[in-house]
Structures are given as structure tokens and as C-alpha cells.
């Protein structure tokens, strides 16, 4: 589908990294250091890590390593990423997009934990949604749909009535698996065939309809 569409929803579920916040510089620095420590090709590592929790990426990249080591490594990586906010900025249109959602059902659904999501949203000058599903809230990382299903449940909205905003292959797959319409944001999203793709959030206009429906003008 082209990036010109009108979608309807009763709630929106928003990924953070790559969707609301451009944190690519920080992600690259931290993960390329990790790749070098483990003798892995940095370019190949970067193809895997977007959208997933760190331990899940490590399990794919080092399949023979015990999961306990992945979780321990992930905790260190989260601390590194939280401390490294240089170059973290808002995706174009994100401040206005979030402002237009005030009073409407929406949630942040991110693979980051609470400290990292708080640090990155603050660095980008963005307001945190009241409802947040973070790494601590789920037992399975994207592409598992648990996070999006939990977000819908917390908002009291059926999954089929939710629209997901995502940038990564793992996130788009998770939204699809949850039975939701997926809007892909940015160039990374396009190759994973979401329902609609937009260059950035300046291409999305939110309209509240009186019966509780949210109308999205995308494109």
C-alpha cells in the first residue's frame, strides 16, 4: 500500500526507538563495541539488534551461549545505552504527533527498560505516554506480540482496534502477530511490508471522532 491512507482505530501503540526517537547513533556505538568484544562483524550485528531486547539479539548472534550470560550482558548494555544519549533526537513530527494524542488512548510499547526509555525520551524532548509497556513488563521480546497485546489490554481496547507504529522488522512482525494494523515509520520499515509506510511522523495527522474512534490520515 502507498503512504496515502485513512485508518481508524480506538487506540495507538507506539514503539520508541526509530519510531518516536532517533537513537541510532547510540545503538551503533554500544552494539559495535559489543560486536568487537565477541569477534563478530558489526554490520551483521546491526542487522539483527533493532527492535529486539538485547538478550534476544544475543541469543540469535551467539546461539551456543547460555541465556544467563545473555541476560547479564544485556543488563550491562542497557546501562551503557542509558548513559549514552549523545545524538539522541526526536523523529521529525514526533512532538506534534504526541501532543495530538493527549486525551486519546495510546501507549508506549518498547523493548527498552524504564531507565533507558525515560532517558531517551527526555533526551529527545518528548513527553512519555501515561501507559508504558517496557522490557520489565513482558516475558518475551518482539517479534513476540506480548508487548502489544499487553498494551491493548491495559488500554481496554481489542487488538483488532489498535494501530501500531513501528520501524523494525521485529516490531512489525510483533504488531502483525497481535492482529493489529501496522504503520511503518522510516526507511528501515519499508522492507518489512507493514500495512502503510511513512517517511516520518510529519506525514501522520490524528483526528478524534466523537464516538471514541481515532482517524489517522497517513501520507
Amino acid at each position: 500500500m502507498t503512504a496515502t491512507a485513512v485508518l481508524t482505530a480506538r487506540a495507538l501503540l507506539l514503539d520508541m526507538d526509530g519510531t518516536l526517537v532517533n537513537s541510532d547513533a547510540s545503538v551503533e556505538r554500544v552494539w559495535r563495541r559489543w560486536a568487537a568484544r565477541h569477534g563478530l562483524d558489526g554490520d551483521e550485528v546491526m542487522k539483527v539488534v533493532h527492535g529486539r531486547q538485547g538478550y534476544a539479539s544475543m541469543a540469535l548472534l551467539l546461539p551456543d551461549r547460555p541465556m544467563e550470560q545473555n541476560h547479564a550482558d544485556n543488563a550491562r548494555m542497557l546501562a551503557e545505552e542509558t548513559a549514552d544519549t549523545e545524538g539522541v533526537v526526536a523523529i521529525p513530527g514526533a512532538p506534534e504527533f504526541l501532543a495530538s494524542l493527549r486525551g486519546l488512548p495510546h501507549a508506549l510499547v518498547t523493548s527498552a527498560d524504564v531507565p533507558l526509555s525515560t532517558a531517551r525520551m527526555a533526551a529527545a524532548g518528548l513527553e512519555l505516554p501515561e501507559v508504558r509497556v517496557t522490557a520489565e513488563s513482558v516475558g518475551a521480546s518482539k517479534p513476540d506480540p506480548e508487548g502489544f497485546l499487553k498494551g491493548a489490554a491495559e488500554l481496554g481496547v481489542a487488538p483488532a482496534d489498535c494501530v501500531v507504529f513501528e520501524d523494525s522488522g521485529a516490531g512489525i512482525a510483533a504488531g502483525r502477530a497481535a492482529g493489529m494494523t501496522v504503520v511503518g515509520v522510516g526507511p528501515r520499515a519499508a522492507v518489512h511490508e507493514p500495512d502503510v509506510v511513512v517517511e516520518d511522523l510529519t506525514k501522520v495527522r490524528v483526528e478524534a471522532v466523537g464516538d471514541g474512534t481515532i482517524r489517522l490520515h497517513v501520507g
Side-chain angles (χ1 to χ4, degrees):
M1 185 182 290
T2 64
T4 303
V6 177
L7 306 175
T8 57
R10 301 191 77 82
L12 306 185
L13 302 177
L14 316 173
D15 174 52
M16 181 182 71
D17 293 302
T19 302
L20 298 172
V21 171
N22 183 345
S23 56
D24 282 2
S26 172
V27 173
E28 290 257 349
R29 285 191 291 269
V30 170
W31 276 98
R32 284 184 183 277
R33 284 199 299 270
W34 182 88
R37 286 197 297 269
H38 294 279
L40 298 174
D41 181 276
D43 291 340
E44 294 304 311
V45 167
M46 294 313 302
K47 292 177 184 176
V48 171
V49 301
H50 292 292
R52 291 181 173 84
Q53 290 193 44
Y55 74 85
S57 296
M58 294 170 191
L60 291 172
L61 293 161
L62 298 173
D64 297 326
R65 192 165 80 151
M67 190 56 82
E68 308 85 72
Q69 284 184 248
N70 294 338
H71 281 287
D73 232 4
N74 185 45
R76 289 189 289 271
M77 296 280 283
L78 285 167
E80 282 185 54
E81 289 184 283
T82 301
D84 182 358
T85 56
E86 183 181 349
V88 173
V89 296
I91 293 290
E96 297 81 4
F97 176 66
L98 287 172
S100 73
L101 296 181
R102 287 187 191 126
L104 300 177
H106 67 288
L108 188 73
V109 181
T110 176
S111 293
D113 63 2
V114 169
L116 180 56
S117 57
T118 302
R120 283 190 175 157
M121 291 289 280
L126 297 176
E127 188 178 328
L128 274 166
E130 287 185 21
V131 178
R132 300 185 284 277
V133 179
T134 59
E136 298 93 338
S137 311
V138 297
S141 170
K142 299 172 185 175
D144 191 282
E146 181 186 357
F148 287 125
L149 293 172
K150 187 158 191 168
E154 291 198 21
L155 293 169
V157 176
D161 291 327
C162 295
V163 170
V164 165
F165 284 75
E166 263 287 0
D167 74 301
S168 71
I172 290 166
R176 275 210 208 92
M180 300 172 181
T181 300
V182 181
V183 176
V185 180
R188 196 154 47 223
V191 298
H192 301 289
E193 300 183 347
D195 296 290
V196 186
V197 183
V198 292
E199 180 184 346
D200 56 41
L201 294 171
T202 65
K203 307 298 184 184
V204 181
R205 182 168 63 85
V206 177
E207 179 188 0
V209 181
D211 64 355
T213 300
I214 302 168
R215 188 174 291 142
L216 299 169
H217 301 267
V218 182

